[in-house]
Amino acid sequence: MRVLLPPSETKKSGGGNSRFKADNLSFSAELTETRKAVRAALETLSKNEDEAIKALKLGKKSASEIGHNLTLHEQTTLPAIDRYTGVLFDAIGLNEMDPASRQWINSNVYIQSALFGLINASDEIPAYRLSASSRLPILTEPLKKTWIKAHSNIKIKQQLVLDLRSKEYASLAPFADAYSLEVYTREADGSKKALNHFNKAAKGDLIKRMAQSNVEFANITELLLWSNSQKLDIVCEDKTLQFVTNLGAPKRS
């Protein structure tokens, strides 16, 4: 199966001993040329700090991150799943994972980057600043349209695809046969309420459970059977999984 994640705007700095090599990223045959074009446009934009702050929608605290965009080739790298930080990635709990669970992550999880396109969790990347909503005036087309065209060459056949990306990042590379996930909590009266703050934490926790179980789902039926064995409240309607979690549930007296 393939699990698709959004990136996060926050990223760890630094890295290991390896320098960034774009040709080593996944889907190089389909995405290399677009990756080069987006990177060149981002580097050119980032040379003008005022323009970059506006186009990348940066605040004062994050303005210094523009420098990452100008040193991509010089930076050391981290696996993408380690580079990104925040609620979703914290909930996956990489630091506590055993090798088998970590291997599951590397084999099944992919992340939708605004700079690199779809990449594997194990792909080595540098720190950067670019989001799906950013504007790169130098590109001949908007970032969204640029990536849609590039990803149209990627075919995911005979695999279950679980799409946990936000709508903004999913729009960069739509996959028609993917299953999306909606997260809810159960109200005191038994009704379901969509989660906001805990949405990402619930998705990260679900991935952690899958990795720890070391499961491979050939189809949606197998995923639902597994979730039932784990006492997870997941049902499927059309192409949407509805996951009811107790994260963020109201306290009962």
Side-chain angles (χ1 to χ4, degrees):
M1 69 178 294
R2 286 186 177 174
V3 180
L4 310 183
L5 298 183
S8 66
E9 301 307 325
T10 55
K11 304 170 186 69
K12 292 179 184 176
S13 299
N17 297 318
S18 301
R19 300 288 179 181
F20 174 57
K21 294 181 180 179
D23 291 341
N24 291 343
L25 298 177
S26 300
F27 307 111
S28 59
E30 297 91 346
L31 301 181
T32 290
E33 291 306 312
T34 302
R35 285 168 174 160
K36 289 180 180 178
V38 172
R39 175 179 169 180
L42 180 61
E43 289 176 337
T44 299
L45 171 68
S46 298
K47 291 176 182 178
N48 186 319
E49 184 173 324
D50 291 337
E51 288 297 319
I53 289 174
K54 181 179 179 181
L56 301 179
K57 301 178 181 179
L58 300 180
K60 291 182 178 180
K61 292 183 178 180
S62 53
S64 60
E65 296 177 26
I66 294 172
H68 292 316
N69 298 339
L70 297 172
T71 58
L72 295 174
H73 63 289
E74 300 173 3
Q75 291 185 51
T76 53
T77 60
L78 287 172
I81 196 71
D82 295 296
R83 176 65 72 189
Y84 297 110
T85 62
V87 175
L88 189 155
F89 294 92
D90 290 345
I92 293 174
L94 290 170
N95 292 337
E96 295 82 35
M97 274 192 178
D98 58 61
S101 299
R102 178 70 184 227
Q103 183 54 51
W104 188 95
I105 294 287
N106 293 343
S107 298
N108 294 282
V109 175
Y110 292 77
I111 302 171
Q112 188 70 54
S113 165
L115 177 56
F116 303 119
L118 195 63
I119 54 177
N120 182 260
S122 64
D123 282 349
E124 298 275 343
I125 62 170
Y128 66 92
R129 187 61 188 238
L130 181 69
S131 66
S133 62
S134 298
R135 294 184 300 104
L136 293 178
I138 298 165
L139 289 180
T140 57
E141 295 181 317
L143 188 62
K144 176 180 174 180
K145 187 176 290 187
T146 298
W147 278 126
I148 287 176
K149 285 185 176 181
H151 287 89
S152 65
N153 297 320
I154 296 177
K155 308 299 180 185
I156 302 179
K157 296 180 179 179
Q158 298 178 340
Q159 291 194 47
L160 175 64
V161 180
L162 181 57
D163 193 348
L164 306 187
R165 298 174 297 177
S166 61
K167 290 182 179 179
E168 191 172 50
Y169 278 95
S171 71
L172 299 183
F175 292 101
D177 294 329
Y179 287 82
S180 61
L181 180 75
E182 296 176 348
V183 184
Y184 299 88
T185 189
R186 190 77 67 184
E187 296 286 86
D189 62 2
S191 62
K192 293 188 298 185
K193 179 182 179 181
L195 271 182
N196 292 318
H197 177 71
F198 292 97
N199 181 292
K200 294 179 181 179
K203 290 179 177 178
D205 182 66
L206 179 61
I207 293 170
K208 178 173 69 175
R209 289 171 181 266
M210 289 181 177
Q212 291 173 337
S213 297
N214 200 22
V215 287
E216 296 289 343
F217 306 120
N219 51 56
I220 197 64
T221 300
E222 291 185 3
L223 188 154
L224 293 173
L225 287 172
W226 169 82
S227 68
N228 185 59
S229 73
Q230 299 293 306
K231 297 182 171 24
L232 298 175
D233 188 352
I234 300 178
V235 298
C236 183
E237 292 187 7
D238 296 324
K239 287 284 188 177
T240 302
L241 295 174
Q242 297 182 359
F243 177 26
V244 181
T245 175
N246 59 7
L247 286 174
K251 295 181 179 179
R252 292 171 171 79
S253 58

